[in-house]
Amino acid sequence: AEFQVVCKPPRNSSVGPFSKASADLAAKEAVRFATRDGATDFQIELSERMAHLATICGWATCECVEIAQQVPVSLDSVTACYSEGVLRDDFTDDQRRTVSELIRGNACGEWMGRIGAECGDCDRYKEERPACANFSVPTIRIFIPLAGSRPGSSPFAPLLPLLLTLLAAAVAPPRA
């Protein structure tokens, strides 16, 4: 498929899901959640910036990244090749608009670079790469000892399911 069919930047980015207003709202929500979760100032700023960028460039999907990276030149040469193609009038208007959105650092070029990089969101092989370690927080393990070694030997054993349900409700994040 041609990249302008898969990568569909909005024709009008002043309204709709990829607009500045939508991005500002997403950034505001990211700040609220990061603050609520006790993030540092740096983490709050980063979450705000990434939410803004992810909203503005939400049209740049993994499929778009994969097709955009299949250019017949090294990625360092793409900008020069694009400029040359524009001078020769080799591109349709849709192709020119799409490519310019993808390679400009001030538009979605940064987002494409981030999600398309090794270990990025769109890296098909990140699970196999040792460098792409999973840095998520490990799960919390809860052990509630019961008197006696046999199931049901404690007088509190019938209450265990109720206690676990209450504990899960107490630590679960509130639903939005």
Side-chain angles (χ1 to χ4, degrees):
E2 290 193 35
F3 70 92
Q4 76 272 12
V5 175
V6 175
C7 305
K8 299 175 186 159
R11 289 187 182 277
N12 181 1
S13 59
S14 61
V15 294
F18 309 118
S19 68
K20 182 176 179 340
S22 294
D24 290 344
L25 181 62
K28 186 177 178 181
E29 285 292 299
V31 167
R32 185 171 69 84
F33 285 118
T35 303
R36 182 199 69 191
D37 293 342
T40 65
D41 288 344
F42 173 76
Q43 292 167 329
I44 292 170
E45 183 181 331
L46 183 62
S47 66
E48 178 182 27
R49 185 167 179 245
M50 287 298 101
H52 192 273
L53 191 59
T55 302
I56 295 275
C57 301
W59 58 268
T61 63
C62 288
E63 187 179 12
C64 175
V65 169
E66 288 179 359
I67 287 182
Q69 289 179 341
Q70 294 175 8
V71 292
V73 296
S74 71
L75 293 178
D76 296 338
S77 305
V78 169
T79 304
C81 286
Y82 170 71
S83 299
E84 200 174 298
V86 168
L87 290 175
R88 288 194 320 242
D89 203 26
D90 289 344
F91 302 116
T92 66
D93 288 342
D94 281 345
Q95 288 173 330
R96 187 172 29 252
R97 185 171 51 83
T98 303
V99 173
S100 97
E101 286 291 327
L102 294 176
I103 64 175
R104 286 191 330 212
N106 61 349
C108 294
E110 179 185 354
W111 179 249
M112 293 285 286
R114 178 178 293 277
I115 66 174
E118 189 172 290
C119 303
D121 291 347
C122 299
D123 180 0
R124 287 185 182 191
Y125 306 104
K126 68 182 167 191
E127 299 300 324
E128 290 88 33
R129 296 182 202 275
C132 304
N134 182 357
F135 294 107
S136 63
V137 177
T139 58
I140 298 174
R141 295 179 184 201
I142 301 173
F143 176 71
I144 302 174
L146 297 175
S149 59
R150 296 176 310 156
S153 65
S154 167
F156 300 107
L159 296 175
L160 183 60
L162 175 63
L163 290 173
L164 290 174
T165 303
L166 291 173
L167 180 62
V171 297
R175 293 184 182 182

